[in-house]
Amino acid sequence: MAAKLSGGGGDRFNVEQNSEINVTPFVDVMLVLLIIFMVAAPLASVSVEVNLPPAVAKASQSPPKPIYISIKASGQVFIGDNRTTIDEMGQDITKAVGKRDPTRERIYIRADEKTRYGAFMEVMNTLQDNGFYSVALIGREDN
């Protein structure tokens, strides 16, 4: 904090305080730092030319598309957007999964709230009979 000495008479040890901020030293320091960084930045870049070998990393696979089974109130079953029956569901879901391991595949089930419990259990039993043991149930989020 700066001090202001009074030029007039009075007590010679009485010092008034000056509460104004002097920004001139701050600006000077900032300009010096700016110049230093402007000079040092080009020196930090690598100017040695190197012939890099190609990368041989395998391309990452995108995650598999999730499989949804929808059960309507009337008991109709859909795999994705395609209608199926309980008898054909095992073959259709195996086609939808492709070559992936059915024991590691997660199947998402959406069912209407008016769906009969028996229709839901038929779908679950068919999934288990075909080796699909990881099942997730989807519900509506109420905010």
Side-chain angles (χ1 to χ4, degrees), residues 48-111:
V48 177
E49 194 169 320
V50 176
N51 189 9
L52 296 173
V56 264
K58 295 180 182 177
S60 63
Q61 295 178 345
S62 59
K65 183 179 178 186
I67 297 175
Y68 292 97
I69 295 178
S70 302
I71 308 170
K72 294 183 93 173
S74 61
Q76 296 174 339
V77 179
F78 293 84
I79 298 176
D81 294 330
N82 304 320
R83 186 172 178 198
T84 186
T85 63
I86 294 295
D87 298 331
E88 298 171 352
M89 190 174 100
Q91 296 169 356
D92 291 342
I93 198 151
T94 305
K95 278 187 214 172
V97 169
K99 296 182 179 181
R100 298 183 301 225
D101 184 12
T103 58
R104 293 177 169 234
E105 193 68 32
R106 177 167 290 190
I107 307 297
Y108 296 92
I109 298 179
R110 303 169 52 227

Side-chain angles (χ1 to χ4, degrees), residues 15-28:
V15 178
E16 278 185 47
Q17 290 190 358
N18 183 4
S19 61
E20 295 177 10
I21 298 174
N22 189 0
V23 294
T24 305
F26 177 72
V27 171
D28 289 343

